[in-house]
Amino acid sequence: MSTSTLTSTEQAARRGNVSIGLGTLRALLARDLKVTRRNLGSLLLRAVMQPLAFTFGFAYVLPAIGDSFGGGHGQPGFSTVLVPGLVAITIAVQGITSVLMPMLIEMTYTKQIEDRALAPVPLWVIGLQKVISAAVQTLLAAAVVFPVVLLVHGAGARPEVHVHDWPLFLAVLVLSCLLAASFGLLLGTLFEITKVQNLVAVVITPMTVLGCVYFPWASLDALPWLQYATLLNPVMYVSEALRACLTPGVPHLPVWACLLALTGGTVLAGGFGLRQFGRRVTG
């Protein structure tokens, strides 16, 4: 066979490979576009919710409640208001994700949950172990972030923070971590791993942005409908309880109301979560 014939054959083979590659690429893109069209509503929801939550919080709520915490005329500065809120948001996100993600991975990919379910103990013990373990991790995260948010500030904006009641502060931290971990267990039993992005966009982001992290609950009296709506937000009680412990000069909910909500929320979320956990594992 001549050299020209071999060259023509090689060129034809290359053209064939390119054609096959382009055809495969088109098929893969067509499949992805079909999946995107099928999940278009979910995609738009994820894209809209996070900027909507932040825009609502910073462009609507803060201007509506006014500059009540600018640090002048004896008022506490914004950095003082912010410290308990940032610790609260750390507890909420860390507590939820510390249970949620490992559990979904164990149930979906590694199937390790099936091995643990064979242990000679009730399934609720396995679920409770996950909650306690995540609560400990969350407590450590709060211990790390507390000095960070306390020490990092602008010139002349030092937050006025002091632990006035150590037993109360430790009780609030423990209850808050248990509450966040319990919600993580409950959410992990209600969502599939393919819907985690929706969970973050639709549940966790609004819950944290509107959890009185950046402003006290009392300042929402300019928006009564929102003030009452936030009573359903567990993060709000964490923020307000920490303000009662760290910045009592900032208006906050009564301590007894915060402790009641933290305890009741942990019992309810933990109870439903453990029941759903048993159903999810055996289902």
Side-chain angles (χ1 to χ4, degrees):
M1 185 179 294
S2 66
T3 303
S4 59
T5 303
L6 288 175
T7 302
S8 299
T9 303
E10 290 175 354
Q11 290 177 348
R14 289 174 182 173
R15 286 195 296 269
N17 290 336
V18 171
S19 178
I20 292 173
L22 291 175
T24 303
L25 177 62
R26 285 194 297 269
L28 292 173
L29 288 175
R31 178 189 178 279
D32 287 345
L33 289 174
K34 185 177 181 180
V35 172
T36 300
R37 286 197 300 270
R38 186 182 305 164
N39 299 324
L40 184 60
S42 174
L43 175 63
L44 294 176
L45 188 64
R46 291 198 306 268
V48 168
M49 278 305 299
Q50 188 169 23
L52 177 62
F54 280 101
T55 302
F56 181 78
F58 290 105
Y60 178 77
V61 176
L62 287 181
I65 64 179
D67 188 19
S68 302
F69 299 94
H73 302 93
Q75 292 287 348
F78 184 64
S79 59
T80 300
V81 175
L82 199 58
V83 168
L86 291 179
V87 176
I89 198 173
T90 300
I91 290 174
V93 174
Q94 182 68 32
I96 291 173
T97 56
S98 292
V99 179
L100 178 69
M101 295 309 300
M103 187 174 74
L104 289 178
I105 291 173
E106 289 176 1
M107 287 182 171
T108 307
Y109 297 127
T110 65
K111 302 296 183 181
Q112 291 180 0
I113 198 69
E114 297 177 0
D115 296 334
R116 297 189 181 189
L118 296 176
V121 294
L123 288 177
W124 65 264
V125 174
I126 301 174
L128 182 62
Q129 175 269 324
K130 291 184 175 298
V131 170
I132 295 175
S133 176
V136 172
Q137 296 177 45
T138 305
L139 193 59
L140 293 174
V144 170
V145 79
F146 180 68
V148 173
V149 298
L150 188 62
L151 298 175
V152 178
H153 56 79
R158 179 182 178 85
E160 300 175 8
V161 174
H162 178 66
V163 180
H164 296 268
D165 188 336
W166 274 101
L168 176 63
F169 179 54
L170 294 177
V172 166
L173 280 179
V174 171
L175 286 173
S176 299
C177 293
L178 287 172
L179 175 63
S182 298
F183 264 95
L185 179 71
L186 178 60
L187 293 173
T189 61
L190 299 177
F191 284 81
E192 300 292 338
I193 196 167
T194 55
K195 302 297 182 181
V196 168
Q197 290 178 312
N198 294 344
L199 172 65
V200 173
V202 179
V203 179
I204 296 181
T205 298
M207 189 168 64
T208 52
V209 171
L210 300 177
C212 293
V213 172
Y214 309 101
F215 42 80
W217 183 81
S219 65
L220 290 175
D221 56 359
L223 299 168
W225 67 270
L226 182 60
Q227 189 175 44
Y228 289 111
T230 55
L231 293 174
L232 301 175
N233 188 343
V235 180
M236 186 274 293
Y237 294 100
V238 179
S239 300
E240 291 291 291
L242 289 173
R243 284 198 179 94
C245 297
L246 300 174
T247 57
V250 177
H252 54 77
L253 284 175
V255 174
W256 66 264
C258 294
L259 293 177
L260 181 62
L262 294 177
T263 305
T266 300
V267 172
L268 289 175
F272 282 116
L274 291 174
R275 186 177 69 174
Q276 288 296 117
F277 178 77
R279 291 178 177 178
R280 181 80 179 268
V281 173
T282 58

